[in-house]
Amino acid sequence: MKRFILLIMLLLPMVGYAQQPMTFESITAKYGSKQGVTTIELSKDALQAMGVSNGISHMEAIAIESASLIKEFCDDLEIFTVDLKAILSVNSNGESVKIYGIADKSGSYNEMIIFTANKSEGVAIRLKGENIELKEAKNMLNM
């Protein structure tokens, strides 16, 4: 019985950890300091200076160029986006692009996640703001 209680006490923290939801912040924290990873964060002022103004007030991005991390990164993003509404999905020549939206009560998108991956790179971009339009999200891919 003592062994059973000890085993439960040892496993309990793992159960709590496994139930933590995957978030964009947790993905950035997990990969942000690793070799072959670049993170970017832009404020509303920086976005406006770059000519982006249609509802986007904040942008975060993470790019993985380390071949050893790409599959795990893509798997983590699939877990993160499983409950999000897919707006656009394109697969062509080994590259995929997916855009997910998070809408407010009125149905306008206040957050979008753009995820693109191929064999050599994985990129996730999170846009936050009000009334974000799909064309703005697609324009962010061309920056």
Side-chain angles (χ1 to χ4, degrees):
M1 184 67 168
K2 288 182 184 180
R3 284 185 184 177
F4 180 70
I5 292 172
L6 182 60
L7 181 62
I8 289 176
M9 290 177 63
L10 290 173
L11 294 177
L12 200 55
M14 289 182 207
V15 171
Y17 178 74
Q19 293 176 348
Q20 296 295 321
M22 184 71 64
T23 64
F24 199 86
E25 290 83 2
S26 66
I27 292 170
T28 303
K30 179 177 180 177
Y31 296 99
S33 62
K34 295 187 178 187
Q35 193 74 5
V37 177
T38 303
T39 59
I40 300 168
E41 190 168 347
L42 298 173
S43 68
K44 184 175 183 175
D45 292 338
L47 290 164
Q48 286 178 342
M50 296 169 62
V52 178
S53 60
N54 290 357
I56 301 171
S57 61
H58 187 86
M59 186 202 87
E60 296 173 75
I62 181 166
I64 308 287
E65 295 175 354
S66 172
S68 63
L69 295 175
I70 291 173
K71 179 172 179 357
E72 184 180 355
F73 175 70
C74 291
D75 290 346
D76 285 345
L77 278 167
E78 289 297 325
I79 293 168
F80 168 61
T81 57
V82 73
D83 292 328
L84 300 181
K85 179 181 178 183
I87 301 171
L88 175 99
S89 181
V90 178
N91 292 300
S92 178
N93 298 324
E95 186 164 347
S96 67
V97 176
K98 297 176 184 175
I99 300 178
Y100 300 90
I102 300 170
D104 60 18
K105 291 179 183 179
S106 71
S108 298
Y109 293 111
N110 56 14
E111 190 169 340
M112 284 190 182
I113 307 295
I114 305 165
F115 172 41
T116 181
N118 57 36
K119 292 179 182 176
S120 61
E121 184 178 46
V123 177
I125 302 170
R126 177 167 70 170
L127 307 174
K128 293 176 97 176
E130 295 179 10
N131 299 318
I132 302 172
E133 297 180 16
L134 182 58
K135 66 180 179 179
E136 284 299 317
K138 288 170 44 178
N139 288 341
M140 296 302 283
L141 290 172
N142 298 323
M143 287 180 69

